Amino acid sequence: MRLATLELEGFRNFAHARLELGDGFTVLWGHNGAGKTNIVEAIYLLATLRSFRTNDLGALVGRDATRAQVVVSGHDPYLDLPTRLAVQLERGSTTTRRLARADDKLVRSAADFYGRLQAVLFTPEDLAVLREGPQQRRQFLDRMVFARERAHIADVQAYERVVRSRNSVLRDDTLHGAALVDMLIPYEHQIAEIGARVWTRRGRLLDDMLPGIERSFAEIYGAEGPQPSTNARQLALSLRYVSPCGSIDEHERAAALLARLVERRELDRMRRTTSVGPHRDDLVVELEGRPVAEFASQGQTRAIILALKLAELELARLHTGAPPLLLLDDVSSELDPPRNALLFERLGALAGQCVLTTTAAEFVRLPEAAACRFVGVDRGRLEPASSAP
Ligand SMILES: Nc1ncnc2c1ncn2[C@@H]1O[C@H](COP(=O)(O)OP(=O)(O)O)[C@@H](O)[C@H]1O
Ligand SMILES: [Mg+2]
């Protein structure tokens, strides 16, 4: 969908606000705490029905309001018709009710709402994916898989449930011998069957993205040295999906998982937890053969994440036939100016529309020909500016 306007009511620090979006870049700039990320969060909510900052949607409702509403109107390229998406949050005393509407009709199932607005988000918190633990990396992969295969959401949830069930059997000291095994068997079959699907989807996603990631990283980060250049030696980036089962052919994964679960029963009983399966897998990212968390600079880490996001954009574009919306929160000076300029050139070519936020407009090096508008954000107010501040 091509976005034309975004309207907020009672959302975070915006009592009422309206933002006009056009082709190309919309640059939101303002001081810390002005409300820039809140706007990105509102658009993300319309795309995914979730926030990337909190699981408590009540936090999104303005402090002095009981109800928040975000509405986006735009154009549906498939139907060639105007379209409108709205999400309303009603904060109650214990829970927050979420209502989603498409063209003024209530959409009850989240799965039916997803995908109407396709967005790819990049926030500084994404850097944690490379710096922190495997759980962050698995979630990162799963979120990207969700965007192209809805069935993955249900599988991941079902998988987590069966692993919890197997763990509670392992922790049950009243069970022994054959009785214990009888209780474990059905869970192990389910873990193997669903786990193999989860594993395979993550692996395929990574395989599909790898060429794009490598290309984008080479382009954005270029080679070593002060200036990106195609002549100098490229830094070797490697991404691998690693399972404690080892590397196993797609068709044999369910059987291999089941065999490992059976093998590890005693060990798992001692440890009181399931030690093998996609919940223990990792996305290993290395630069020059060394773990990124220990070896890469801030700028290199950021370039790797951006390369992942660019590859995600490319895939989404292939998948849906239309370029998704790119949300880029907090563009700062972590990339040096030439690399920053290269990044925006790539973004301009890949994304249909791009909403980005920054505290200082000089960090945003837009290509000369790119369509763009600057909007000042100040304590919950938007002020369109005729040129870069
Ligand atoms: N539910 C809410 N109601 C009112 N104001 C809020 C709410 N949640 C956050 N805020 C305010 O929003 C501001 C933070 O906005 P944010 O978009 O994160 O800023 P930035 O421009 O730095 O990205 C803070 O001033 C915070 O107090
Ligand atoms: Mg912010």
Side-chain angles (χ1 to χ4, degrees):
M1 144 178 205
R2 187 188 166 282
L3 276 60
T5 59
L6 171 75
E7 284 166 273
L8 312 179
E9 227 174 281
F11 186 88
R12 296 274 195 191
N13 63 339
F14 292 90
H16 294 279
R18 184 186 160 91
L19 175 66
E20 306 273 343
L21 296 133
D23 286 327
F25 297 90
T26 300
V27 183
L28 303 169
W29 65 278
H31 299 299
N32 287 324
K36 303 180 296 297
T37 303
N38 294 343
I39 300 272
V40 173
E41 189 180 36
I43 301 174
Y44 187 85
L45 178 69
L46 285 157
T48 63
L49 292 174
R50 299 178 34 197
S51 164
F52 53 89
R53 295 204 280 195
T54 171
N55 288 326
D56 168 24
L57 290 180
L60 279 57
V61 180
R63 244 172 248 130
D64 306 323
T66 51
R67 175 179 165 275
Q69 173 154 283
V70 292
V71 184
V72 72
S73 56
H75 190 84
D76 185 323
Y78 304 108
L79 302 175
D80 194 20
L81 285 174
T83 182
R84 205 174 115 94
L85 300 177
V87 176
Q88 197 175 308
L89 303 172
E90 284 166 14
R91 187 169 51 200
S93 52
T94 49
T95 55
T96 300
R97 205 154 84 104
R98 180 189 72 189
L99 297 167
R101 288 190 178 82
D103 299 321
D104 301 316
K105 282 193 275 302
L106 203 60
V107 181
R108 287 183 200 282
S109 136
D112 286 344
F113 192 79
Y114 293 135
R116 289 171 193 257
L117 171 59
Q118 289 262 350
V120 171
L121 166 75
F122 177 62
T123 79
E125 282 84 67
D126 286 332
L127 297 175
V129 167
L130 297 180
R131 299 243 154 106
E132 285 171 20
Q135 190 187 350
Q136 274 78 9
R137 287 185 284 278
R138 289 190 297 265
Q139 280 174 354
F140 182 75
L141 283 178
D142 284 337
R143 266 201 300 274
M144 288 192 279
V145 180
F146 292 163
R148 60 178 200 177
E149 266 178 274
R150 299 280 167 256
H152 194 65
I153 304 181
D155 270 348
V156 168
Q157 287 167 348
Y159 178 81
E160 284 168 0
R161 262 195 316 274
V162 266
V163 170
R164 279 197 300 274
S165 301
R166 183 174 187 265
N167 289 346
S168 57
V169 173
L170 291 168
R171 286 172 199 149
D172 186 340
D173 294 323
T174 65
L175 292 167
H176 299 281
L180 174 68
V181 172
D182 280 350
M183 290 290 286
L184 290 173
I185 286 173
Y187 294 133
E188 289 167 355
H189 277 89
Q190 287 182 57
I191 292 175
E193 187 196 320
I194 308 169
R197 287 203 294 270
V198 170
W199 179 0
T200 294
R201 288 200 203 101
R202 288 177 183 165
R204 283 189 190 162
L205 173 89
L206 192 62
D207 287 346
D208 289 352
M209 286 176 68
L210 268 180
I213 295 172
E214 282 163 7
R215 187 163 19 88
S216 292
F217 179 70
E219 274 179 30
I220 302 168
Y221 204 76
E224 297 170 278
Q227 294 273 322
S229 131
T230 44
N231 296 327
R233 195 176 69 85
Q234 297 292 336
L235 289 170
L237 172 67
S238 114
L239 290 95
R240 280 172 293 127
Y241 186 81
V242 176
S243 154
C245 274
S247 87
I248 292 184
D249 198 68
E250 276 184 16
H251 315 288
E252 286 153 25
R253 285 179 185 164
L257 260 175
L258 186 61
R260 294 292 192 288
L261 286 163
V262 173
E263 249 168 58
R264 290 185 180 221
R265 260 181 208 149
E266 283 201 15
L267 185 78
D268 286 359
R269 170 72 160 177
M270 255 156 42
R271 293 188 183 164
R272 304 168 89 76
T273 188
T274 300
S275 62
V276 69
H279 64 294
R280 289 299 179 97
D281 295 354
D282 196 1
L283 168 67
V284 174
V285 186
E286 290 174 340
L287 194 61
E288 298 287 272
R290 282 141 84 185
V292 159
E294 294 158 26
F295 177 71
S297 72
Q298 179 86 353
Q300 287 166 337
T301 309
R302 196 172 163 93
I304 295 169
I305 286 286
L306 281 168
L308 277 159
K309 294 285 166 173
L310 287 172
E312 186 187 353
L313 259 179
E314 271 172 34
L315 271 193
R317 201 188 156 106
L318 272 180
H319 187 68
T320 62
L325 170 73
L326 180 67
L327 303 169
L328 213 54
D329 194 29
D330 243 333
V331 174
S332 69
S333 56
E334 279 148 32
L335 294 174
D336 48 42
R339 291 190 171 99
N340 222 329
L342 263 176
L343 168 68
F344 284 106
E345 208 171 286
R346 289 276 279 134
L347 292 177
L350 269 181
Q353 290 175 296
C354 176
V355 175
L356 55 93
T357 79
T358 185
T359 48
E362 70 261 22
F363 295 143
V364 182
R365 307 224 156 201
L366 300 179
E368 298 236 329
C372 70
R373 70 214 55 78
F374 285 83
V375 179
V377 184
D378 184 21
R379 284 161 291 179
R381 285 178 199 285
L382 300 178
E383 293 148 20
S386 50
S387 62

